[in-house]
Amino acid sequence: MINRTIAPEIRIPKEVPIQSAETITTSCGIPLHVIAAGTQDVVKIEFIFAAGNIAASQPLLALATNDLLDEGTQKHDSASLAEALDFYGAYLQSENGPDWSGVSLYSLNKFTQKTLPYLTELITTPLFPEKEIETYRNQGKQHLAVNLNKVDFLARRNFFNCLYGDEHPYGRMTELHHYNAINSRELSQYHKDKYLNGLKAVFISGKPDQETIQSIQNTIEGSGFQKGTLPEINSIFPDPGKRFIKKADALQSAIRIGRRLFNRKHPDYPAFSVLSTVLGGYFGSRLMANIREDKGYTYGIGSGIISHLHDGYFYISTEVGAAVREDAIREIYKEIGRLREEEISTEELNLVKNYLTGSFQRNIDGAFNLADRHKMVLLNELNNNYLNTYLDRLNAVMAPDIKNCASRYLQESDLSEIVVGQ
Amino acid sequence: MIPFEKFKLSNGLTVIVHEDHSTPLVAMNILYKVGARNEDPDKTGFAHLFEHLMFGGSVNIEDFDEPLQNAAGENNAFTNNDITNYYLTIPSQNLETGFWLESDRMLSLAFTEKSLEVQRSVVIEEFKQRYLNQPYGDVWLHLRPLAYKVHPYQWATIGKEISHIENAQLTDVKSFFKKWYAPNNAILSLAGDCTVQRAKDLCEKWFSSIPPAEIQHPQLPQEPEQQQKRVLDLERDVPNSRIYIAWHCCARKDPDFYATDLLTDILARGKSSRLYLQLVKQHSYFTDINAYTTGELDKSLLIIEGRLLNSTSMETAEKAILEVIESVKENLDERELQKVQHKAEATLEFNEMGIDSKALNLAYYELIGDAAECNRQADYYNRVTRAEIIATAKKIFTEKNCSVLRYHAKNN
């Protein structure tokens, strides 16, 4: 008979091998990174532009340009472009972030030579036809109107607004009327300024053949792309604040608590990221254990630390039963207070390091995940050996570091608090 | 293509192993053949509530998550109308921790009042968060009972109403476990850095001593053919109206599933699909429109859902959808068929990018017949003919077979 009360032995790797990206420097100086891995005969091709919200003078401009790239080019109208890509089973994914904008093509290898020209076309010669913009306006307004009825959406946007203010691209809020303001001329101009003159890098992942890599290099070199960089916005940031937004019929209240912080380049980043995991970064975290698994106030609660190129922030987020809102907030501050006052036990710290080691392994598993990690390093302008030294930095974090971080960065007066609901 | 080996323990546990030594990780998936369709109509939401309790400690192990996270693993679970599925990924050298944990909770749970009390609250908050406190969140709570009058698919996985969850008792929990959680009602699949031999050794060590149970899969009441069109009008405080039309269609296991699935792709997959092109782009009736099948073990639903612009009336919306549907019964060209076949092929390829989805796919195809079906899906899609899709459209899209949920925006 086996003794089921004894846990099997475990081993936690202190280093893991990481496949590096093969980097091709093109004649225009824009890097092309190739991550060849995986078992499937597919490829993902991602063009990244310095064209996210921070590059745009108006709300919605960056998003709308990104969303409407595939709505017609000099050669093909919207419908024939869609039909051609659909016919070859390909997918387009456009992603507009606070800093960067990306366009990805997912294609079966056997059709890449057919699908790639359409990708090239829509990133180099989009037309932004007024008729398609009108459809997009209707879609966007409806989508936003629905979101404005969701407590978590309202909490999130008010949180950013509270941290960064009305003027900063990270803080300004998109309203329904902004959809009326977008027009073909402005989108075309934004495309010219930030896409044609703003290519940051290109990533190919999956199992690309040599011909595909060569074709993409030709696209980069032959389309007149210029290298792009992001502006740094010097802003006066608002003081931490509290907002309560009443939504009378809400069954749950959304809560966001957090602050502006630093990004991955900061020396305290490793310790703070461990702190954030201890607090709310995994299923066994203190917030989950207390607010969900002990009190049953919520379906889920989490915290995280997000890096931008020139900034970063920390947040705690949850939706709780309206009747227990005050209790939940009190417990959140109590858990933050414990981090400031008590040193974390070796046992808990090791558990979190082990968990993060596993997360790191999962995050580099498979071609697309691995490409995303390499992309993160490049876009955050980190050292080339950042991934290879990740576990060293993680394992160097000690209990006093976490307590110091909490004292330094998580005083209650540092934190902003948003509640939406009742 | 996912090569695999399959074996069965003497207690009836089916095990499937896909070796992939290019990763240092293993995905471990355990599928239990029990879902919301196996619930008592007066105690719905139970399979899902039970899934939550599976993390509350087992007979010999106080907590499930902590030892797993300590071994650098991560896990989660989901419940639907047909199955309850648990999955984890873990570095290969710590795989035994996964076996230790999963086998102990298959053996027996700790069953504490505290765990039940907390998870009742958590699930009630989940009910609110996903179904009640979201615009349009309650659609499925109404659409299922409109389309199904007899079959247990008439309730959603979360349950009919919050009171069913509030009333769950520890005795119900224990009998549910006894009834469904046993090796002979489960499929275990592994994908990643684990050899077949190691899988056999670990299964022998941790699972083979768990006794099988008398599992009765009772004949579920089958939904009789619908005899007339059903309509339900709801009015809610939402920004725009939506329309949901549901037709009864075949089960996931039925050979017609592939033609049915491609039919929904022709209608609404991608921006070149018929409904999107004609009703979103050419006529601005909708801002978005979708079509899909629920693809469940018993007879399923084909759903079309449209998001209306405020300038579109509910009557116009329904009429416009039905007109496009009629067009499929009349013509379908070869290129259109090829397009959706390519799309299906790509979906299958991209769906197998990770070891976790490979493990899940193997277990699911074993459930519906044979894990080897996993590698035949692309063929099945490619064999579908135009005539079959047209015949399927004619069979499904009849007036008496349809249920319409008109979700009206108040003050509009």
Side-chain angles (χ1 to χ4, degrees), chain A residues 4 71 86-87 91 142 355, chain B residues 74 206 272 281 287 342:
Chain A
R4 291 182 177 272
E71 291 294 346
D86 281 341
F87 180 75
Y91 301 78
Q142 196 178 94
Y355 170 76
Chain B
E74 186 160 56
W206 293 103
S272 73
K281 284 298 184 95
T287 59
H342 287 158

Side-chain angles (χ1 to χ4, degrees), chain B residues 335-403:
Chain B
R335 185 172 163 96
E336 209 176 358
L337 172 61
Q338 263 183 36
K339 177 184 80 173
V340 292
Q341 285 171 328
H342 287 158
K343 207 86 183 174
E345 184 185 344
T347 305
L348 290 167
E349 279 292 320
F350 282 107
N351 188 7
E352 287 175 9
M353 286 299 289
I355 49 171
D356 43 356
S357 49
K358 285 179 184 174
L360 171 60
N361 286 350
L362 287 168
Y364 186 75
Y365 285 107
E366 180 64 20
L367 171 76
I368 63 170
D370 181 359
E373 289 284 297
C374 200
N375 296 321
R376 299 185 194 126
Q377 297 300 304
D379 263 0
Y380 293 156
Y381 281 108
N382 282 327
R383 271 192 232 151
V384 174
T385 63
R386 284 188 292 167
E388 281 167 351
I389 293 179
I390 289 171
T392 305
K394 284 179 177 165
K395 191 170 146 192
I396 294 172
F397 294 134
T398 64
E399 189 180 325
K400 66 171 191 171
N401 189 34
C402 97
S403 303

Side-chain angles (χ1 to χ4, degrees), chain B residues 111-165:
Chain B
F111 299 120
T112 66
E113 279 289 356
K114 163 85 183 174
S115 171
L116 177 60
E117 190 194 318
V118 168
Q119 292 310 320
R120 272 197 301 244
S121 305
V122 170
V123 171
I124 288 167
E125 291 307 320
E126 181 181 0
F127 203 131
K128 291 183 201 163
Q129 185 171 325
R130 296 173 59 175
Y131 297 85
L132 304 180
N133 207 34
Q134 296 289 340
Y136 315 99
D138 62 346
V139 164
W140 281 94
L141 301 180
H142 295 282
L143 190 55
R144 282 190 173 274
L146 183 66
Y148 291 103
K149 298 298 175 195
V150 173
H151 193 282
Y153 286 164
Q154 67 190 270
W155 56 84
T157 309
I158 194 76
K160 283 183 193 170
E161 49 191 85
I162 283 180
S163 70
H164 284 195
I165 297 156

Side-chain angles (χ1 to χ4, degrees), chain A residues 192-325:
Chain A
K192 185 165 174 270
D193 295 344
K194 310 295 178 185
Y195 282 74
L196 291 179
N197 293 328
L199 184 57
K200 173 74 176 172
V202 181
F203 283 84
I204 310 177
S205 50
K207 278 168 71 178
D209 51 33
Q210 212 43 52
E211 197 184 1
T212 299
I213 296 169
Q214 188 58 55
S215 303
I216 293 163
Q217 186 172 350
N218 294 346
T219 292
I220 299 169
E221 293 177 343
S223 308
F225 281 117
Q226 301 288 317
K227 209 170 168 178
T229 51
L230 282 183
E232 189 162 3
I233 309 269
N234 291 314
S235 183
I236 298 162
F237 296 102
D239 290 333
K242 290 191 181 197
R243 285 185 198 177
F244 178 81
I245 296 152
K246 190 163 175 63
K247 195 166 179 297
D249 55 346
L251 297 173
Q252 288 187 316
S253 298
I255 301 166
R256 285 234 159 191
I257 293 172
R259 60 163 299 168
R260 274 187 61 237
L261 204 61
F262 39 70
N263 62 15
R264 284 180 184 267
K265 288 182 193 159
H266 194 279
D268 284 336
Y269 183 90
F272 200 95
S273 73
V274 173
L275 177 157
S276 172
T277 310
V278 169
L279 183 64
Y282 71 119
F283 195 88
S285 69
R286 292 179 177 189
L287 288 173
M288 278 291 271
N290 179 346
I291 289 160
R292 176 177 143 137
E293 292 296 300
D294 185 57
K295 312 257 177 1
Y297 290 162
T298 181
Y299 177 48
I301 181 163
S303 66
I305 167 172
I306 302 294
S307 254
H308 296 315
L309 181 59
H310 299 303
D311 208 76
Y313 65 90
F314 163 73
Y315 73 94
I316 295 166
S317 141
T318 186
E319 284 155 75
V320 302
V324 295
R325 185 247 307 168

